[in-house]
Amino acid sequence: MSHRLLLIRHAKSSWDDASLADRERPLAKRGRDAAERMGAHLRHEGQRPDVVLCSASTRTRETLELLRFRDADVAYLDELYGASSHELLGSVGEVRDDAEVVAVIGHNPGMQDLAIALAGNDATAGAVRLREKFPTCAVAAFDVEGSWRDLRPERIRLVSFVVPKELP
């Protein structure tokens, strides 16, 4: 069975209120605009997740809301805040196998580290770019063969890497 995994870094957050804990920082206007554009792009491309694993931070929740993944089953997971690539992959491995498209909304460096690990030796332009930088609200999409609990690099292929500045 073929699946699609979307790794999404949260949109640009605001640093305007220094009294807020990092987990509580909201999106900046630029981040809100980017998330809305990215959501429109993903919907246009037919990328509608069945399941979303979302960090419980304010900025990831706001990013998810603006992406407008309306019919997805959403799990807000505290453990995704600051998660390593290994921990992120472990969370994906817990997803039910009938979920065809799974999105993970989280933070760097874990999101970029996981994207790099999954891209492996891929030499395509998208893989090269995601190794250099995984900007806010960027999306790396991977085709996955087999079950979510049996993710292995040889069964995963990067199909796209999109950053907000590339979108209209």
Side-chain angles (χ1 to χ4, degrees), residues 30 34 37-38 129 133 135-138 162-168:
R30 184 175 118 201
R37 288 192 334 272
M38 187 60 74
R129 287 178 28 244
K133 185 175 183 182
T136 53
C137 212
V162 180
V163 300
K165 70 179 183 179
E166 298 170 347
L167 303 174

Side-chain angles (χ1 to χ4, degrees), residues 1-3 97 99 143-151 155:
M1 175 179 229
S2 181
H3 297 95
D97 276 330
D143 277 345
V144 177
E145 290 298 325
S147 71
W148 291 113
R149 69 184 159 279
D150 191 29
L151 291 173
R155 293 183 175 179

Side-chain angles (χ1 to χ4, degrees), residues 19-141:
S19 70
L20 290 176
D22 184 67
R23 284 181 184 253
E24 304 307 317
R25 286 190 297 113
L27 294 181
K29 180 181 181 336
R30 184 175 118 201
R32 290 189 302 273
D33 293 344
E36 286 176 346
R37 288 192 334 272
M38 187 60 74
H41 167 76
L42 292 170
R43 286 188 304 280
H44 177 75
E45 295 293 312
Q47 301 301 311
R48 291 177 173 84
D50 301 302
V51 172
V52 176
L53 305 178
C54 185
S55 164
S57 75
T58 299
R59 61 190 177 272
T60 50
R61 287 173 172 267
E62 289 180 356
T63 298
L64 172 57
E65 183 176 326
L66 293 166
L67 290 170
R68 295 186 3 217
F69 295 150
R70 297 288 188 242
D71 296 326
D73 291 334
V74 177
Y76 295 102
L77 304 172
D78 284 328
E79 61 267 24
L80 294 185
Y81 179 82
S84 69
S85 61
H86 180 73
E87 292 165 328
L88 291 166
L89 194 60
S91 293
V92 173
E94 301 285 321
V95 172
R96 66 182 201 272
D97 276 330
D98 68 334
E100 291 181 27
V101 180
V102 172
V104 180
I105 304 175
H107 310 266
N108 262 3
M111 295 304 288
Q112 182 175 19
D113 291 345
L114 179 55
I116 290 169
L118 296 179
N121 295 326
D122 189 335
T124 62
V128 170
R129 287 178 28 244
L130 72 78
R131 285 184 192 98
E132 292 170 356
K133 185 175 183 182
F134 202 103
T136 53
C137 212
V139 178

